[in-house]
Amino acid sequence: MKLVDEFELGLDAPICITWELTYACNLACVHCLSSSGRRDPRELTTAEAKGVISQLQRMQVFYVNIGGGEPTVRRDFWELLDHAAEHGVGVKFSTNGSRIDAAAAARLAASDYVDVQVSIDGATAAVNDAVRGPGSFDTALGALERLAAAGFRKPKISVVVTRQNAGQLDDFKAIADRYGAQLRITRLRPSGRGADVWDEMHPTAEQQRSLYMWLLEHGDEVLTGDSFFHLSAYGEALPGLNLCGAGRVVCLIDPVGDVYACPFAIHDEFLAGNVREPRGFEGVWRDSELFTELRRPQSGGACESCGHYDACRGGCMAAKFFTGLPLDGPDPECALGHGEGLLAARGAEVAIPAPAVDHSRVKPSRLRNGTPERPPAKVCDENPLADFLTAEG
Amino acid sequence: MSAETLLDGRWRLHPQVALRPERFGALAYHYGTRRLSFLKSRRLLDVVEGLGAAPDPAAACRAAGVSDAELASYGRALATLAETGMIVPAEGAAEEVAA
C-alpha cells in the first residue's frame, strides 16, 4: 500500500498537531483563519495545557505547531514551551514578532527544541500592512533581525499567498535569505475572517499556475505544509505529502480545548471533541465519531471520473465547506477550473457556513486598501496616516 | 557516498532521533534538524534499531532477515538516512551532537 493510502486511513497518533494557545491577539489580520482578537475566558489553564503535553508525549507526537491568536501573549507561554521541550515534544510556534525582544531571541536561540515562524503577508510594508495592520511589517522584520543577532538558526518566515502578494515570491525568498531564514508559503483558506476577504484575496487562476511553476522550481527550498496539493492536478506532483490529512494525520486543538479535524475547519461540522473529556485528547483522536468517519475510504464524488483525481484528491475540505461547495466535488480553486463554474453557479439560497467561534474585536473584515478598513472604536483611535497606507502595484 | 554501496563500519541512530512504529513501518523525527522521515517497512525499522549492535549495516540487515536480493534497496534507504543525519557513524556520534 502506498504511504498516502496508509495515511488516509489514519494513524494511532497524529503526525503533527496545530495547537492554538489563545484567541487573544494584538493584531487583527483581515484573513485570520481563527477569527482571533479577544481572549476566551474558557481558555485551557496552565495545568490543563501541561496535561495535553503529557498525552502528546505518551502518544509520541514529536512536535506541535503552536499558534493563536498570538501565542506569546499568554502569561505561561514560556513555561509551556519549556514543559514541552522537557517532555520530548518539539515546538514550532507562529508569531507576529511583537514580543520577540532581544531577551526572548536569546532564550529561543539557546533551545534545541523550539522553532520560530514569523508571519508576514507582503514582501513590502504596503502589501503586508494592508492585511496585517499598520507597522506589522517592521515589527516582523525587527523580530527576525533580533533572532539573527542572537544566533537563532534558520527561523521560518510564514507567508499566506494572496492575489496581492503572489507576484512577490522571489522577494519573499530574498527576505528569507537576508535573515538566514527559511521561507514557508501556505494557501489562503476561506476560514475564519478569511471568508470575508477570500473573494478579493485568493490568487487568480493565472497566479495559481505561476505559483505551481515556482513551486516546481523551488519546492525543495521552501516549506508549504503541503498546502498546495490541489495544484498537483496541473501535472507533476509537488514535493511533500499530497493529501488532506484532516483527522487522519493532523488536527487542531483550539484555545478552549476543542479538537477539530484541521486548523482551517473551526466549525461544529468538524468538531471531534474536547481535551477536557475524561479520556482527554487521546480518546478524541482514537475514538471520536468524526475522525472514525474521516478515516473511512472517502468518495471522490463528482471528481472521481477526472483523470487528475489521484493527483489532487479533490482538494481541500475546508476550502469547499466555507465557500458553500459540496465536499465530494471539486476544490473552489481546482486547477482545471471546475471550481470557478460551481462558485459562479451558487444560488442565493446557498448558505455559507459561519465559523463556530468568533473572537474578532471588530467586524466585518476588509482589506485595508487605502480606505479606513473599519470604523474606529473612538474618533481619536483613527490612525492619521490611514489614508496613506495604499497598496503598491 | 554512493547510494549503490552499503555503508561501512558501525552506525547508530542519531541520539536526537526518535522512532515511532507504525503499521507501514515507522516515523523518524530528528529533534535537531526538525526533519521527519518515513521508514517504509517494519523490516527497515528493525534494521535501523539493530544498527548499534551490529558491526556494520550489512550485518544489521541480515540480522533483521533482509534477503540478498533486497540488500541493495535497503542499502539505498540507509544511505538516505545517513545523508539526512538520521543515522551517524557510531564513533563520530559524539562530535555530531556537539556541533
Side-chain angles (χ1 to χ4, degrees):
Chain A
M1 199 191 280
K2 285 195 313 191
L3 214 46
V4 168
D5 299 324
E6 287 279 2
F7 290 164
E8 286 195 332
L9 298 177
L11 300 181
D12 288 344
I15 292 179
C16 105
I17 288 180
T18 299
W19 186 1
E20 316 282 35
L21 276 188
T22 180
Y23 280 120
C25 192
N26 53 338
L27 296 188
C29 304
V30 298
H31 61 347
C32 180
L33 56 90
S34 57
S35 303
S36 285
R38 289 171 288 109
R39 199 183 83 86
D40 192 304
R42 299 167 301 156
E43 217 166 65
L44 294 182
T45 64
T46 305
E48 285 173 323
K50 286 183 175 176
V52 170
I53 291 169
S54 300
Q55 280 210 317
L56 298 182
Q57 178 185 27
R58 238 189 349 268
M59 295 172 78
Q60 275 202 287
V61 175
F62 299 129
Y63 62 99
V64 292
N65 294 319
I66 284 184
E70 171 56 42
T72 60
V73 306
R74 257 190 84 125
R75 255 183 238 120
D76 56 5
F77 174 73
W78 297 99
E79 184 182 345
L80 293 178
L81 220 55
D82 288 343
H83 191 80
E86 285 157 18
H87 288 77
V89 179
V91 168
K92 176 161 82 176
F93 74 89
S94 296
T95 177
N96 57 37
S98 57
R99 301 238 170 165
I100 309 296
D101 56 16
R107 186 172 185 163
L108 291 167
S111 172
D112 271 344
Y113 282 77
V114 183
D115 199 5
V116 187
Q117 180 164 293
V118 179
S119 302
I120 55 175
D121 290 313
T124 51
V127 174
N128 176 82
D129 292 2
V131 177
R132 307 183 59 83
S136 57
F137 186 71
D138 290 342
T139 299
L141 293 200
L144 286 164
E145 210 146 292
R146 288 185 286 281
L147 286 168
F152 188 92
R153 211 172 50 87
K154 218 170 169 188
K156 312 291 178 280
I157 295 181
S158 186
V159 174
V160 173
V161 179
T162 63
R163 194 172 303 171
Q164 289 71 25
N165 70 23
Q168 298 185 313
L169 295 178
D170 288 329
D171 303 325
F172 283 119
K173 186 86 179 27
I175 292 175
D177 290 344
R178 195 191 320 152
Y179 294 103
Q182 185 172 24
L183 180 60
R184 177 176 190 268
I185 60 175
T186 54
R187 181 176 179 190
L188 174 73
R189 268 49 172 233
S191 314
R193 287 197 293 269
D196 304 333
V197 293
W198 190 80
D199 286 341
E200 52 175 322
M201 283 182 73
H202 80 96
T204 63
E206 199 182 321
Q207 287 176 324
Q208 285 213 99
R209 176 107 214 171
S210 311
L211 168 63
Y212 169 75
M213 300 308 291
W214 195 88
L215 284 171
L216 282 185
E217 199 179 329
H218 300 280
D220 293 333
E221 308 151 51
V222 298
L223 302 169
T224 63
D226 297 341
S227 67
F228 297 108
F229 68 91
H230 67 298
L231 299 182
S232 291
Y234 278 127
E236 221 178 300
L238 293 167
L241 287 175
N242 288 300
L243 87 158
C244 165
R248 304 162 183 122
V249 296
V250 302
C251 71
L252 168 77
I253 302 176
D254 94 338
V256 301
D258 281 338
V259 180
Y260 293 94
C262 95
F264 315 106
I266 302 182
H267 189 279
D268 288 348
E269 195 92 5
F270 302 105
L271 176 61
N274 189 289
V275 302
R276 284 172 167 140
E277 288 165 26
R279 289 181 56 227
F281 173 73
E282 194 168 356
V284 176
W285 177 264
R286 299 224 162 121
D287 299 326
S288 72
E289 218 173 291
L290 174 72
F291 287 178
T292 305
E293 178 55 38
L294 284 171
R295 292 166 196 164
R296 291 206 181 99
Q298 304 288 306
S299 153
C303 291
E304 216 144 70
S305 59
C306 174
H308 298 276
Y309 181 65
D310 272 352
C312 81
R313 307 224 161 202
C316 171
M317 187 175 74
K320 293 185 242 196
F321 185 74
F322 287 115
T323 49
L325 297 186
L327 296 187
D328 63 350
D331 188 285
E333 295 179 299
C334 164
L336 301 176
H338 296 316
E340 283 163 42
L342 285 179
L343 288 175
R346 279 177 309 183
E349 76 285 357
V350 173
I352 307 289
V357 285
D358 190 343
H359 295 79
S360 305
R361 284 187 296 265
V362 193
K363 288 276 275 180
S365 202
R366 275 178 47 204
L367 196 57
R368 303 165 169 96
N369 57 353
T371 50
E373 70 280 5
R374 52 179 61 130
K378 297 185 207 135
V379 177
C380 57
D381 278 353
E382 177 69 278
N383 181 336
L385 294 178
D387 285 336
F388 297 93
L389 297 167
T390 51
E392 274 177 8
Chain B
M1 140 196 347
S2 159
E4 299 305 318
T5 56
L6 216 55
L7 305 168
D8 289 325
R10 195 177 284 274
W11 287 71
R12 56 176 285 194
L13 196 64
H14 190 287
Q16 278 182 294
V17 173
L19 297 171
R20 186 174 108 191
E22 297 288 347
R23 14 167 225 272
F24 61 85
L27 303 181
Y29 183 68
H30 193 309
Y31 286 101
T33 62
R34 296 163 195 137
R35 194 184 170 101
L36 181 71
S37 293
F38 304 108
L39 307 188
K40 293 183 186 167
S41 76
R42 284 307 275 255
R43 183 154 289 166
L44 181 56
L45 172 63
D46 292 342
V47 170
V48 169
E49 284 181 326
L51 279 178
D56 57 43
C61 286
R62 276 192 296 274
V66 174
S67 69
D68 287 349
E70 296 168 312
L71 208 54
S73 76
Y74 277 79
R76 281 192 294 276
L78 290 172
T80 305
L81 291 172
E83 277 161 29
T84 51
M86 292 284 182
I87 61 173
V88 288
E91 288 80 10
E95 285 86 12
E96 284 276 332
V97 178

